[in-house]
Each structure stands twice: as structure tokens, then as C-alpha cells.
């Protein structure tokens, strides 16, 4: 179950993203305008209103072509239950309907009453490539229902997952998705463009406003 790509984010989302970038630029220019000539209220209003519109028109269609991961287009709970269906052990034992829950963004897998613990952990780690997975393992105390469960799951996860992707709480072990190389590259390109273009635009605007 490797990383996949789904449908484009759509024109609506692209326009919103472009407008937000335009608003960011417009706000920066508006600050320069206030510092240069506080009495130019008309120019101030235009700087706050026009750049978002231009950003939406120019950048919106381009940003709309970006594709979202398949997992973001599906309910994580449904996806997890379908993927872990083969591990069902029947009524009264471990079942996907009773032992897998979700808060909408992440999935909680209760590992108690489970025979094939390692198999479910491995399957859960595949799901963790797309969204956060929390393994409910208890505190691991001698008085716990299954005192050996926590260490068994934790040791296996530590062998498979880097420390930057996993965390522990009192009763759960959480594994977060790792950003794909493509996503990281896209973010770097956007950040680089903002860092380069914003100072240039601000400097040119400052020169223009001084005249």
C-alpha cells in the first residue's frame, strides 16, 4: 500500500490558495504604503484588495492542478477497516468494527484481544503512510489486562519506524505519516518563490511610492 495520488484539488481550492498568496503580498505592500505615506488611504485599500484578485486569477489555475493523496479523499476509518478486514477473529474477539475507531483525521487501533499482533501492526504501519495511526496498547503495567502487549508492539514499531515519526503516551503508540519527497519539493519551491519574489516586489513598490 504505497503512496498514491488522487484527483486534483480543484479550481475552487486553487483560487483560494492563489488569493491567499496575493493577500500576503498585498498586506506586505500595504505596510510599506503606510510607512511611506500614511495619508494615501485609497492606495492602501487598493493594495489590500487588488493583489488577492490577481493572485487568484494568475495562480489559481496552476495551483488547482496539484493532486491530493488518495487517503485525503476517503474516510480513514473506512479505509482502515477495509484494509484490516482479513484480521477479523469473529464475534467476541478482535474485530475491525469494535476495535478500530477514528476521530476523523486519525485512526485508533485497539490491540487487545488480538492473536496476530505483529500482522496488525505491520498493516497499521502501511496505513500510517497516509494518516496518523494510534495503537492502543495499555500502560504495560503488571496489573494490566495484557502487560506484555505494550512492549511487544513498541519494540516492533521501533524496528520499523524512525523516531521522528513515532511518539508514545500513557496508553497509545502513535505513528505519523512521512511527507513524500514530491510534497517536500513542492513546499520548498513555493517557499523559495515567496522568499525571492516578496522582497523584490516590496523593494520595487517602495521605490515607486517614494516618487
Amino acid at each position: 500500500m504505497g503512496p498514491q495520488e488522487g484527483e486534483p484539488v480543484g479550481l475552487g481550492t486553487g483560487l483560494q490558495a492563489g488569493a491567499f498568496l496575493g493577500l500576503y503580498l498585498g498586506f506586505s505592500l500595504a505596510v510599506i504604503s503606510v510607512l511611506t505615506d500614511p495619508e494615501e488611504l485609497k492606495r492602501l485599500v487598493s493594495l489590500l484588495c487588488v493583489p488577492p484578485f490577481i493572485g487568484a486569477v494568475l495562480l489559481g489555475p496552476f495551483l488547482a492542478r496539484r493532486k491530493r493523496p488518495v487517503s485525503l479523499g476517503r474516510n480513514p476509518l473506512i479505509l482502515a477497516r477495509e484494509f484490516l478486514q482479513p484480521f477479523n477473529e469473529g464475534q467476541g474477539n478482535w474485530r475491525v468494527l469494535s476495535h478500530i475507531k477514528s476521530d476523523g483525521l486519525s485512526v485508533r487501533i485497539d490491540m487487545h484481544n488480538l492473536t496476530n499482533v505483529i500482522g496488525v501492526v505491520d498493516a497499521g504501519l502501511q496505513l500510517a503512510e497516509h494518516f496518523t495511526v494510534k495503537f492502543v496498547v495499555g500502560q504495560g503495567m503488571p496489573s494490566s489486562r495484557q502487560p506484555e502487549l505494550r512492549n511487544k508492539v513498541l519494540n516492533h514499531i521501533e524496528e520499523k519506524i524512525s523516531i521522528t515519526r513515532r511518539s508514545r503516551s500513557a496508553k497509545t503508540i502513535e505513528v505519523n505519516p512521512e511527507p513524500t519527497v514530491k510534497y517536500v519539493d513542492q513546499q520548498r519551491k513555493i517557499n523559495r518563490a515567496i522568499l525571492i519574489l516578496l522582497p523584490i516586489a516590496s523593494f520595487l513598490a517602495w521605490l515607486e511610492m517614494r516618487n
Side-chain angles (χ1 to χ4, degrees):
M1 187 176 177
Q4 304 177 55
E5 287 187 342
E7 297 296 325
V9 296
L11 184 59
T13 302
L15 292 175
Q16 292 177 25
F20 178 79
L21 293 175
L23 179 62
Y24 182 70
L25 174 61
F27 179 78
S28 301
L29 298 179
V31 172
I32 296 176
S33 176
V34 171
L35 295 176
T36 305
D37 191 351
E39 296 181 358
E40 283 286 347
L41 297 180
K42 184 177 180 180
R43 182 175 65 187
L44 176 63
V45 173
S46 64
L47 288 174
L48 290 175
C49 297
V50 175
F53 176 76
I54 296 177
V57 173
L58 296 181
L59 299 178
F62 169 74
L63 296 174
R65 293 199 299 268
R66 296 186 63 186
K67 294 183 178 180
R68 72 184 78 198
V70 170
S71 59
L72 293 182
R74 298 188 61 188
N75 188 318
L77 178 60
I78 296 176
L79 183 62
R81 285 178 172 174
E82 289 179 356
F83 193 64
L84 295 174
Q85 185 71 29
F87 297 96
N88 266 337
E89 297 182 3
Q91 190 171 2
N93 297 306
W94 195 91
R95 294 193 306 158
V96 294
L97 291 178
S98 58
H99 287 70
I100 300 179
K101 307 293 182 181
S102 174
D103 60 5
L105 298 177
S106 63
V107 168
R108 294 172 59 91
I109 303 177
D110 191 341
M111 304 297 292
H112 294 90
N113 302 324
L114 177 62
T115 302
N116 189 1
V117 173
I118 299 302
V120 171
V121 171
D122 286 335
L125 294 180
Q126 293 185 57
L127 292 172
E129 295 177 3
H130 305 279
F131 45 78
T132 299
V133 175
K134 299 177 182 179
F135 298 93
V136 181
V137 293
Q139 296 180 332
M141 304 294 290
S143 58
S144 300
R145 191 177 8 157
Q146 294 179 253
E148 78 290 345
L149 180 61
R150 183 180 180 88
N151 286 335
K152 184 176 183 179
V153 174
L154 179 60
N155 291 337
H156 190 69
I157 291 177
E158 288 179 342
E159 292 177 359
K160 300 280 187 177
I161 303 298
S162 64
I163 192 172
T164 57
R165 293 184 56 198
R166 51 182 163 85
S167 60
R168 293 178 289 177
S169 64
K171 296 184 179 181
T172 64
I173 301 172
E174 181 176 315
V175 180
N176 296 300
E178 183 176 5
T180 62
V181 175
K182 182 177 180 180
Y183 174 78
V184 172
D185 288 341
Q186 288 176 340
Q187 290 300 112
R188 287 176 178 172
K189 290 178 182 178
I190 293 175
N191 294 338
R192 190 183 302 118
I194 293 176
L195 290 175
I196 293 174
L197 296 178
L198 183 58
I200 294 176
S202 300
F203 178 72
L204 294 176
W206 177 72
L207 291 178
E208 178 66 23
M209 293 175 190
R210 288 188 61 188
N211 298 331

